[in-house]
Structures are given as C-alpha cells and as structure tokens.
Amino acid sequence: MHDNSRMENKPASPSGSVPGPRGESSRSDAQVRLSSAGRHRAGRGCGSLEKTQVRTPSRPPLFGGRLRRESLEVIYDGQCRFCARSLAVLERLARRRLFRLHDANDRQLIRSKFPPLDGADTRDAMFAVTPRGEVFRGFFAFRRILWESARFYPFLPLFYAPGAALLGPRIYAWVARNRRRFGCSQDGSEMCGLFPARGQTAGPGRRPPTGLDGVRANREGGCEMSPTISQLTKVQAGRTSDRLRHLLPRKAIAGVFGFLLLGAILAPIAQNWRANPQDSVPFSYYPMFSAKRGDAYVVSYIVGLDAQGNRHPISYKFAGDGGFNQTRRQINRLIHERKADTLCQAVATKLALAAAPYGEITTVGIVTGEFRFADYFAGQKAPLSERVHASCQVARRGHGKEVEQ
Amino acid sequence: MKRLFRLFDQFWFPQAPAERLAMLRILVGIFAYCLVAANYIQWVEIGRTALVLFKPVGVVALLSRPLPPVVNQVLLIATLLLGIPFILGWRYRFTGPAFAALLLWVISYRLSWSMIYHSMHTTVLHILVLGLSPAADALSLDAQRRSAAGARAEPASAWQYGFPIQLICAVTVFAYFVTGMAKVAGPLGWSWGTGEALRSQVAADAIRKEVLGSAGARLFYRLYNQVWLFAMMAVLTFVVELGAPLALLNKRLGRLWAVTAFLMHWGILFIMAIDFRYHLTGIIYASFFDLERIPAKLKELRARRAARLFSTQMARA
C-alpha cells in the first residue's frame, strides 16, 4: 500500500504557500512544490522540444491536438502497459492532450527534471507535477489529472466524496501493486489473455483504440522518448488481440469508478458512531426508524381555538410548502431557534384567508405536546402535557370591519 | 490468483444485452422525469422558502445561501427538458451525463431545506450510473440514427452493458445495507428486531400525522396491540436490509430479495401510510430482472395480433 503521507512530509518550496489550481490548492494531501530550479529545468527541457514534436498521419485526430504550454507532467512506470493505457484512455476520453509523460524508471531524467522527486517512490505510484510546481502522488495525482478536462468533471464529486480520500489511495495502492498482473507488462503478455475474447466495443461513438496509438511517448511533449514505449509500439504492431488489451484499462476505470461509488455509499455508515452525525445527498446513513423511543412521544404542532375555546387541529400546509416531514422539521427548527412567533404570525395570516373548516378559528398556537402511545391508540387522544411556544390572533378582514362598525 | 481474477471479472463485469440496460434507462428515466414533473410546482415554491431554513446538503453545500428562485426554476425546467432526450436516448453522450448532473443538483437543492427524504437517493444514484454508461446503444434514437447511417452495430451482449446493471444492483443493495446498519448501530442495536421499536416508530409517525393534519394509516389502530406482527416485520426488515448484499451473489437470490423488498414496501404503505414511490413501482428492483424480454414480448404480441387480424380478414374474404 502506498503511503501518501510520505509526500506530505517532503519539504515544501522555499516560497512557502502552495497555490494549487482548481480546487486542489487548499489540500495538503500529497502535494509539494518543486524547487524553482527543477521547475525551470522541466519547463525548458520540454518546452524546447515541443517545437520538434513528431506527428504521424496515422495518429487519430484526438491525439493530434497540441499540448498546452502549461500542462501537467506525469511521472509513471513506463514499463507498465496498463498504466500507459490507462493514461491514454484518459486522453482519449478527454479528446485532447492532457499531460506530458515521463518514465519513472529513467532515474537520471527524473533527477534532472524533477529534483524533488529524486528518491521518491516513483516505482510505487504515479506522480503529477503541475506547471506551478505542485506535486501530487498516486490517487491524488489521478484526481488532479481529472481537473484537466471538463469531460471528467462529472466524476469529480465521486473523487471528493466523503471517504474518497481514505478509500481512493487504498484502491490505487492495490491497483498499483497489481498493475503488472492485469496490465500486460512490458516483459510478457501472460496476463493479457486473462479475459477471453469477446469482441466488445466500448459503447456508442467510442472508437476502439487500435494498436498503441493511445500510448503516447513522452517525446511528444518534447522530452526524450522512453525506449520502453517505443518497444511497446513495436510489440503491439500487427497484433490482432489489441482491442482486448484496451478492455483492461477500461475495465479498470469502470471497476474503480464502481468501487468508489460503492465506497461512497458505504462510507456514511461511520456517521452512526459520531456524536453529531451528518446526513447528506445522495450518500446518506439512512437514519430513519433507527431512533430509540420510549412509551411516549413529543411532537410540535399547530392548534387553533375558536371563539368558544374549542380546539381545532391545523394542517401543516399552513406552515410550509415542502411536504409533511419537511414542514414538521421546519416547525421544530423554528421553535428551537425561538422563532415560533414568526411562524405563528405566518400561519395566522394564511388562516385569515382560509375558508371552512378554519373559518371559525380566532387564535393560533404553536405548541409541543407529549402523547403516551398506549393511551393514544386506546382512544385517549389528549396530550399528557402541552407547552405553548407562541400564540397569536387571526385578524380576518370581515371581523375587523365588524369591530370598526 | 488467475482464477480469482476470472471470478471477479465474471462477477463485476457480467455480459448483458444492450436492451436490458436501455430498458433500465427508459424505466428509471421515466420515473425520474415524473418525479421532477409531478413535484415541479412544489419544488419551485421550496426555492422561495425563508433563508433561515436553508441547510445545504450534498453538492448544494457549495452554496452559502440559496439560489435566486428564478435560477432554481430554470434548473428545474432544464432538468425536465433534458429528461426527454435521456429517456429517448438522443445525443446520449451529452444528454445522459447532463441530465444526471442536473437531477443530482435539483434533488439535492430540494432536500436542502431542513429535511432529507431518503427515498430519492437511489433514484439519483441510478440515474448517475445510467447517465455515465452506454445505456442508449439500443432502444434509442441514437441507435436508430446509427443503424440508418449504416454504422457497425454494437455487440448484442457485452460487459459494458452488464457492468452498469451490476453496479445499479450493488447501489440498491448497499443502500439497503446502510439502512440496516443504522438500525443495528443505533441506540437500540439488535433489540430493534424485537418489534417494539418498530411499533413505537410507526406509532410516532401516526401521531404526528394526525396532530399535523395529514392522513395516517387507519390499519395501524387495529394492529397496535399485535406486537408479534411487528416482531415479524422487524425480523423481515433486518433480513431484507442486512442480507441485501447477498442478493448480488446469485441471480435467483437477487430476484427473491427484490420481490421480498418490494412486498415489504407495500406492507409499509398499508401499515404506515408511507409511500416510497420508487420502491412501490418496483422500478428500483428492475435491474435484477431480464428487462430485455419486455420489448421482445411486446413485439411477439404485436406480431401475433397482426397475424390474427390477417387470418380473420382472409377468412372474411
């Protein structure tokens, strides 16, 4: 398992603050700033070669797009086909270039371009370095990459869901540990044939990648081409089972998405043990019907009194528009916040315009009553006790005129 | 290890026909559309609720204060407008995710006023999965367009269709599981299963409905003293909720669970007068069944009727 905290402990830049773009800035997880020297070297190295970018006619248009000058640098295991494919799939889905790739196995290159990563566990996890020099590791690097294209934004809530930062690195670590197993490693294709041929395609409009066109050598970004990727290209050429191998990253992405989603659904279980549990949407801990109740029940409601002092129940609809339970909660909240008077006035105003059976009501009260279950369902419906929070008169126009006359 | 991978692959990425996923898109899409359409006026009004009652949840937590009511209304209208291409499968690569995102927003916004209705959560999650999956590869305008253009047909059965269905099933059962965990982890623990707590909960619900002028379940008055009945219901609830993940292990078990849960919700309606509409319609459990048989059956029926008509006309002639 990769330990993301390792990167947190790395020394930050002398400049101190870490102004990460697009929402990552405030996070301390796995991000450090490259030294200015390293940044300068990285920019110069890739930038100068960018002009000599090699483009072959056979490359699909979606990879033909020019890489933005300000883009991510991704350091990954170049000997892992699964990793290369996964990154290629990301770009394919984004329909544009997102990052420059660098083989983490080329220690000399890494040392020269990214000095702070010298000695980092680049073999265990992917790293993403932003143009500002921030470094993200593993799951957080993957999440940072997703910010690069608006097409991935729908996935972001999932990656920022409660528990994602806990679960994500673990899933990433598992995938990273096993990447050469399901990833068609450079040195053999034993696991490539793990899943039987089915001839699937990935869905509507998604052209299945052919060959290794998805794997972009880092020379495109202007840096030296990784020999491993060039070897890969040769190995791949002419193979008929290419499409199969493309299924693996897709399955991996789909699988990770599925696990993250299920993790986000299960994560709220932890709320049950919190002193002040927080419910949310669409990931909830579903607390309904789990509360402990005694033999009595305390509830707040609205009552009306007519001129003779007879009680009349008043519908919750006079207190709110959001349905029964929402209005009930809102009544409770207003009482709790000592705003029962405001609620009482609002109900009285509405009642003043109401016809039968509310026409006779002269006084409105916001009350909390206690009922004993056994008594109530035996027919004795009067509350054991009742507390009046607010009381106000219903000022009907007709009534007012009569008074004036 | 290989065997384990293969088993995992078979479990998590099962093959399924495109029509099954498409039927799910249509059913869940229609439900979500009706949910927004039927509550449109209420949800517009909710947007005008007092600021003091605004308690943002989910994605709406990005807001520190409510949206202007007109913006809320525009978003609701946009959701309704996008719901139609979602159901019809038109330009689904864009309308699918867009409808899912908008539905997530409007439902989160609707629930950001001091009360969370949990019955809407699974609808949103199902739509999110469907919106991000190739659910319009069949029974859709997109499929029709591709077919008319002579494009290569999508495979009849593939993991790309099976995985979202499996994920929807998993989302459903895990939501139930979390609900069950809340009961066990709550102050009552396993004693919730004695039925007393359930009876008290239903009693409390009945009382508050009566004092706040809503319609309660009359049946509950007759059942209040039948504690054994509530004990049975509590045990059944535990079985359905905590045993839900088992429904993923076997197709038949899944269907059995789906039917039991479906009946449980009808029982809840009769006894407690609580209508979980997504559950009561059975659409929440649709992913456990071979929905692709529905269009095939309809086609067969239509063909049979046409043949009968033809033979009648021939006999007359």
Side-chain angles (χ1 to χ4, degrees):
Chain A
M1 188 168 296
H2 306 312
D3 181 11
N4 285 287
S5 61
R6 258 195 278 181
M7 283 307 296
E8 289 175 21
N9 297 332
K10 279 192 170 285
S13 77
S15 56
S17 64
V18 185
R22 301 176 187 183
E24 294 281 0
S25 58
S26 61
R27 299 198 71 85
S28 63
D29 45 19
Q31 76 176 40
V32 296
R33 184 183 267 265
L34 276 178
S35 72
S36 58
R39 196 164 66 239
H40 174 68
R41 258 177 282 169
R44 188 178 56 189
C46 294
S48 60
L49 281 168
E50 200 169 5
K51 291 167 189 170
T52 61
Q53 188 174 357
V54 179
R55 287 187 187 177
T56 55
S58 61
R59 186 185 299 147
L62 62 108
F63 288 108
R66 196 179 180 82
L67 187 63
R68 285 183 306 164
R69 194 167 292 277
E70 295 285 310
S71 70
L72 280 182
E73 310 280 348
V74 172
I75 296 95
Y76 77 112
D77 179 3
Q79 289 183 355
C80 164
R81 279 188 210 166
F82 168 75
C83 311
R85 289 260 173 73
S86 304
L87 293 167
V89 166
L90 280 181
E91 285 202 329
R92 194 173 284 277
L93 292 174
R95 289 184 161 263
R96 68 174 183 79
R97 297 274 303 278
L98 298 176
F99 37 69
R100 294 188 183 89
L101 291 174
H102 304 275
D103 186 359
N105 299 294
D106 190 344
R107 304 303 305 178
Q108 202 174 346
L109 179 95
I110 300 303
R111 202 173 300 132
S112 63
K113 279 189 181 301
F114 311 104
L117 291 185
D118 185 22
D121 55 340
T122 49
R123 280 171 174 270
D124 296 334
M126 170 177 78
F127 284 77
V129 182
T130 67
R132 291 182 179 184
E134 297 146 342
V135 179
F136 296 87
R137 181 190 180 280
F139 166 79
F140 302 100
F142 189 81
R143 189 166 75 174
R144 178 61 186 83
I145 289 171
L146 295 186
W147 282 105
E148 288 297 296
S149 169
R151 285 166 175 262
F152 300 135
Y153 289 0
F155 293 96
L156 284 173
L158 201 64
F159 282 79
Y160 285 91
L166 283 174
L167 201 65
R170 282 165 174 74
I171 294 171
Y172 182 92
W174 184 85
V175 173
R177 262 201 315 275
N178 296 287
R179 66 188 186 275
R180 303 230 178 160
R181 288 180 189 277
F182 46 69
C184 315
S185 70
Q186 177 72 356
D187 51 350
S189 56
E190 188 193 353
M191 296 300 287
C192 296
L194 177 65
F195 303 107
R198 288 171 190 162
Q200 298 101 318
T201 59
R206 291 179 199 167
R207 188 176 47 76
T210 54
L212 242 199
D213 56 10
V215 180
R216 181 169 41 78
N218 53 9
R219 69 171 167 182
E220 292 172 7
C223 303
E224 282 178 34
M225 182 180 179
S226 161
T228 58
I229 291 177
S230 70
Q231 284 166 13
L232 255 181
T233 313
K234 285 174 193 167
V235 171
Q236 288 289 309
R239 283 213 177 172
T240 52
S241 58
D242 275 352
R243 288 172 66 199
L244 260 184
R245 295 199 189 91
H246 285 282
L247 289 177
L248 289 168
R250 281 184 182 161
K251 275 189 174 179
I253 290 170
V256 167
F257 169 76
F259 278 118
L260 281 175
L261 182 63
L262 296 184
I265 290 170
L266 290 172
I269 289 177
Q271 297 290 336
N272 291 302
W273 288 277
R274 292 208 174 150
N276 187 20
Q278 296 291 316
D279 206 1
S280 189
V281 181
F283 306 114
S284 167
Y285 72 109
Y286 300 98
M288 63 273 198
F289 298 107
S290 61
K292 188 176 184 176
R293 296 198 189 282
D295 57 354
Y297 179 55
V298 177
V299 59
S300 296
Y301 47 96
I302 313 162
V303 288
L305 297 176
D306 61 21
Q308 286 76 42
N310 297 319
R311 286 169 66 103
H312 299 270
I314 293 179
S315 171
Y316 68 92
K317 289 175 183 167
F318 285 94
D321 300 315
F324 174 75
N325 275 315
Q326 178 167 305
T327 308
R328 179 174 63 82
R329 286 279 179 92
Q330 289 175 345
I331 291 171
N332 290 345
R333 192 169 162 185
L334 289 170
I335 290 171
H336 183 73
E337 292 175 3
R338 299 180 186 280
K339 288 174 182 160
D341 284 331
T342 317
L343 174 65
C344 192
Q345 285 298 337
V347 173
T349 308
K350 284 185 185 172
L351 271 174
L353 304 168
Y358 301 106
E360 301 300 312
I361 292 170
T362 54
T363 310
V364 176
I366 308 295
V367 298
T368 298
E370 187 181 5
F371 298 86
R372 194 188 298 277
F373 291 134
D375 296 345
Y376 194 91
F377 292 100
Q380 197 180 327
K381 298 200 171 186
L384 289 175
S385 63
E386 204 169 52
R387 183 182 165 199
V388 180
H389 299 284
S391 176
C392 49
Q393 297 295 312
V394 180
R396 289 197 171 78
R397 276 185 188 172
H399 183 71
K401 279 176 188 171
E402 279 174 22
V403 172
E404 282 171 15
Q405 283 164 8
Chain B
M1 195 66 185
K2 269 188 187 180
R3 193 161 168 268
L4 208 67
F5 266 108
R6 201 188 301 275
L7 277 174
F8 174 76
D9 181 56
Q10 283 167 357
F11 170 76
W12 201 223
F13 301 103
Q15 298 260 336
E19 285 81 6
R20 192 182 299 170
L21 186 62
M23 278 300 294
L24 265 180
R25 182 200 82 232
I26 294 167
L27 285 176
V28 181
I30 288 174
F31 181 85
Y33 185 86
C34 291
L35 179 72
V36 181
N39 292 296
Y40 173 76
I41 294 171
Q42 190 191 46
W43 292 8
V44 168
E45 286 304 314
I46 285 170
R48 299 194 178 107
T49 309
L51 173 69
V52 67
L53 295 168
F54 184 62
K55 193 181 172 191
V57 289
V59 285
V60 181
L62 294 168
L63 301 178
S64 55
R65 50 185 297 116
L67 292 171
V70 67
V71 176
N72 177 44
Q73 194 165 358
V74 166
L75 288 171
L76 282 166
I77 291 168
T79 311
L80 286 173
L81 288 177
L82 273 168
I84 295 165
F86 180 94
I87 296 164
L88 298 176
W90 183 73
R91 308 276 177 199
Y92 195 75
R93 290 186 67 192
F94 303 101
T95 57
F99 177 64
L102 271 173
L103 189 75
L104 174 67
W105 179 270
V106 297
I107 286 188
S108 301
Y109 195 76
R110 187 264 171 270
L111 300 179
S112 291
W113 301 90
S114 307
M115 176 69 199
I116 294 178
Y117 289 94
H118 297 94
S119 57
M120 295 182 199
H121 289 49
T122 33
T123 313
V124 175
L125 290 168
H126 287 181
I127 289 286
L128 275 174
V129 174
L130 287 167
L132 297 172
S133 65
D137 277 11
L139 308 175
S140 68
L141 293 177
D142 280 354
Q144 217 167 27
R145 197 181 61 235
R146 270 198 304 276
S147 158
R152 183 171 53 80
E154 297 298 336
S157 191
W159 71 266
Q160 283 90 346
Y161 310 123
F163 169 70
I165 297 170
Q166 185 76 340
L167 187 56
I168 287 172
C169 290
V171 163
T172 310
V173 300
F174 280 118
Y176 271 88
F177 180 73
V178 175
T179 313
M181 282 301 294
K183 293 181 178 79
V184 178
L188 290 162
W190 290 100
S191 67
W192 195 92
T194 59
E196 290 277 357
L198 178 61
R199 189 176 71 155
S200 302
Q201 292 286 350
V202 183
D205 190 65
I207 291 175
R208 65 190 175 212
K209 275 181 176 155
E210 281 195 17
V211 296
L212 280 162
S214 179
R218 306 307 305 171
L219 184 61
F220 181 68
Y221 278 86
R222 295 185 180 194
L223 302 177
Y224 180 77
N225 290 318
Q226 315 299 322
V227 184
W228 62 271
L229 184 71
F230 291 96
M232 270 178 55
M233 284 167 58
V235 171
L236 178 71
T237 306
F238 267 158
V239 170
V240 168
E241 289 181 349
L242 294 175
L246 297 175
L248 293 176
L249 300 179
N250 180 282
K251 205 170 181 178
R252 280 188 185 175
L253 205 60
R255 288 174 184 177
L256 179 69
W257 176 84
V259 171
T260 314
F262 175 69
L263 293 175
M264 185 183 86
H265 282 286
W266 275 97
I268 290 171
L269 175 70
F270 286 125
I271 296 168
M272 301 171 63
I274 296 176
D275 57 336
F276 295 102
R277 284 177 195 157
Y278 194 41
H279 307 67
L280 290 172
T281 54
I283 294 172
I284 189 174
Y285 313 109
S287 54
F288 289 91
F289 296 90
D290 297 339
L291 296 176
E292 71 277 12
R293 288 188 184 171
I294 297 174
K297 277 272 179 215
L298 287 175
K299 213 179 273 182
E300 197 182 299
L301 277 174
R302 219 177 299 148
R304 236 185 259 171
R305 193 181 294 172
R308 208 180 302 149
L309 260 172
F310 181 74
S311 60
T312 316
Q313 280 175 353
M314 287 297 283
R316 276 182 195 164

